[in-house]
Amino acid sequence: MIDIKKNLLELRQHIKVLAKQYQRDPDHIKLLAVSKTHPTEKIKQAIAVGQTCFAESYVQEAIRKIQELSQQQLEWHFIGRIQSNKIRDIAKHFTWVHSVASLKAAQQLDHYRPDNMPPLNICIQVNVSEEASKAGIHLAELIPLAQHIKALPKLNLRGLMTIPKINHDFTQQRQPYRKLYLVQQALNLQDFNLDTLSMGMTNDIAAAIAEGATIVRVGTAIFGERIYDE
Ligand SMILES: *Cc1c(COP(=O)(O)O)cnc(C)c1O
């Protein structure tokens, strides 16, 4: 039996310890509970211990949960692959999108963001390890995309996100996160004012916090293993 309350309390404590260890302000590390594939019932257990920020990867599934939980004051983050036929729904139902990696996706999100909602918070997903197969924009294309997004009125460019390839060595886990941090610093020298680094998951949260993560995206350590039934 998964004890979501216990998992969350332990995870918050773990984040505090890591923050202290790496001289980070724990208030500058937001914990996103990645609830994809998990039922609304489990999300309610997290809400009961004060969790308010949730992340989803599949639009249809996410909208169902957002509607089921519409009585609650929650902040929903989209972290999945952006399909063009789902962009209108993403723009309407989420507060943040972490996985923007093309100008077209950005323009469409801006176009469909309803006028009566605050600007959509955006992270550009960067492929720091430059793997051909991985999602995310390559470094060479990052600045032009960031400039374009800056100019879109209904988007608020907040920062960068990355999903590195799986690695179980702590020192090696830090490398892509260090790289993302340095890229953020470079952009901020050009007045992009990015305040967000979305990096770190269940298996590499320590490496991400060590390198400056301001949002960590944690699923398994809170909700247990995911079961995909497709
Ligand atoms: C599923 C997912 C996570 C959560 O991963 P865990 O290993 O379960 O913590 C984080 N980020 C993204 C983009 C994901 O798709």
Side-chain angles (χ1 to χ4, degrees):
M1 190 53 200
I2 303 284
D3 189 339
I4 290 171
K5 176 180 174 186
K6 178 166 167 283
N7 289 349
L8 257 175
L9 296 181
E10 284 178 1
L11 183 57
R12 285 178 192 153
Q13 188 54 33
H14 185 45
I15 290 172
K16 275 208 187 108
V17 169
L18 289 167
K20 195 169 164 69
Q21 186 176 349
Y22 295 105
Q23 286 101 46
R24 301 280 322 278
D25 180 347
D27 293 339
H28 292 164
I29 304 168
K30 183 195 291 228
L31 173 58
L32 256 188
V34 180
S35 47
K36 65 175 186 242
T37 77
H38 296 293
T40 306
E41 215 37 61
K42 282 180 148 183
I43 299 177
K44 285 184 180 162
Q45 292 174 40
I47 295 170
V49 275
Q51 182 67 31
T52 56
C53 300
F54 294 89
E56 291 278 339
S57 302
Y58 310 105
V59 177
Q60 231 86 315
E61 175 194 342
I63 291 175
R64 179 173 51 73
K65 293 176 188 172
I66 291 169
Q67 285 168 348
E68 285 171 5
L69 295 164
S70 63
Q71 301 298 71
Q72 315 267 355
Q73 286 291 327
L74 303 176
E75 186 178 279
W76 291 95
H77 295 236
F78 185 74
I79 59 172
R81 207 164 60 81
I82 300 175
Q83 294 171 272
S84 52
N85 62 338
K86 300 280 165 58
I87 288 191
R88 185 196 294 258
D89 283 329
I90 296 171
K92 246 170 83 174
H93 291 280
F94 288 87
T95 303
W96 282 75
V97 180
H98 293 233
S99 42
V100 173
S102 74
L103 179 57
K104 186 159 169 273
Q107 285 171 331
Q108 296 278 302
L109 286 168
D110 180 71
H111 177 74
Y112 287 118
R113 182 66 169 174
D115 288 324
N116 64 348
M117 293 178 85
L120 186 57
N121 295 293
I122 299 292
C123 290
I124 298 177
Q125 184 174 351
V126 183
N127 180 351
V128 282
S129 46
E130 309 270 324
E131 293 166 84
S133 61
K134 278 271 153 116
I137 195 164
H138 287 240
L139 284 174
E141 303 158 82
L142 176 60
I143 287 179
L145 179 60
Q147 280 164 340
H148 276 114
I149 293 177
K150 268 272 183 209
L152 294 171
K154 287 187 276 177
L155 302 187
N156 184 8
L157 181 60
R158 297 292 299 271
L160 307 175
M161 178 272 225
T162 197
I163 311 172
K165 62 172 181 253
I166 292 175
N167 200 312
H168 295 286
D169 176 77
F170 178 70
T171 307
Q172 286 178 33
Q173 284 177 348
R174 287 181 69 156
Q175 288 168 5
Y177 292 150
R178 178 73 187 164
K179 205 162 165 186
L180 198 69
Y181 169 79
L182 293 172
V183 171
Q184 185 204 33
Q185 298 296 300
L187 286 176
N188 282 346
L189 283 176
Q190 299 185 36
D191 292 328
F192 280 98
N193 294 317
L194 305 181
D195 62 9
T196 300
L197 280 175
S198 167
M199 56 192 203
M201 322 198 281
T202 294
N203 287 317
D204 59 9
I205 186 174
I209 288 174
E211 297 298 351
T214 66
I215 298 184
V216 290
R217 311 177 308 265
V218 181
T220 310
I222 299 171
F223 297 110
E225 295 292 334
R226 284 179 288 279
I227 296 160
Y228 292 90
D229 52 16
E230 287 101 320

